[in-house]
Amino acid sequence: MYAIPRFEVTNEQVQYAKNALQRSLDSFDYSQYSHTRKLSQDDLYRFFCGFLGEVLFADVYRLPRPKECYGLNGQDNGLDFVLGGENCDVKTSFLRTFPTVATQLSFILSLYTIDKISSLTTRYFFIKIVETTKGYFAYFVGSATKQQIKERKIGNVYKKGEAMQTASKNGLSEIVVKNDIMRIDATQLIPTKITSGLEKMPNFELLKFQN
């Protein structure tokens, strides 16, 4: 069994993230996109989820909230927060349904990001967000040091064109990866330490998943 903390995201947190994303969109330099490559709805949702994850991380660990969505306006070189002497990069992705097994709580990192020389990251934190008709729910899945990932001590590497199995509520499916990536499963991560800040989040629960 693998224990993962989950809590409900507040309307205020969601609105803060949406407003910050809109400010970033208003000042975004669209000239970097050709006429064949515009910001899609998937792009916008990905940016929103990523920024919302940073807002939640700040609130849980009582840090100042970010004011801009740097995924749009520039590169932060993998430094979202400094916590406990670590340079933290918060990685957030989303699910359409509540996970039922730990393998549904996996994360994808590009090898380019992992091996980027200018990266300041020393630790990655991984968050999953589920959007439902009742609102948003956040899973603080776990963390890993950059050294663990960079040295390939955890995770599984897939090269462009290779097949990768993914888990869903309907079982396993297979996709062909479009870029060189590393997939990291929840059970490979260091479990999130339960802090008072985390326990105070709305409808906090510690859920147990089968490996």
Side-chain angles (χ1 to χ4, degrees), residues 97-101 104 166-173:
T97 59
F98 288 118
T100 56
V101 292
Q104 289 175 261
T166 61
S168 70
K169 65 178 182 179
N170 298 319
L172 293 175
S173 60

Side-chain angles (χ1 to χ4, degrees), residues 15-32:
Q15 197 57 53
Y16 181 93
K18 287 182 176 179
N19 291 342
L21 176 59
Q22 188 58 56
R23 288 196 303 272
S24 298
L25 284 170
D26 291 342
S27 60
F28 181 60
D29 181 10
Y30 286 88
S31 65
Q32 64 181 288

